[in-house]
Amino acid sequence: MYTIEMAYARMRELQDQANRSRAHLSAAAARKAKKRAAKKR
């Protein structure tokens, strides 16, 4: 039996995962931007 609680827990898991990957991507993008800025000088 699949309950609402199980579905909600799964949704929260996916949301946390998405937030973690988004934070990781923005950190990587910031590093890339810094490198690019350093090269331009």
Side-chain angles (χ1 to χ4, degrees), residues 21-38:
S21 67
R22 194 180 304 123
H24 179 74
L25 288 175
S26 64
R31 272 198 303 275
K32 246 185 208 172
K34 268 187 191 171
K35 271 187 189 171
R36 213 176 293 132

Side-chain angles (χ1 to χ4, degrees), residues 2-3 6-7 10-11 13-14 20 27-28 33 38-40:
Y2 195 69
T3 64
M6 290 164 78
R10 180 70 179 136
M11 191 183 72
E13 254 174 52
L14 291 173
R20 273 198 301 275
K39 276 185 184 174
K40 278 186 181 174

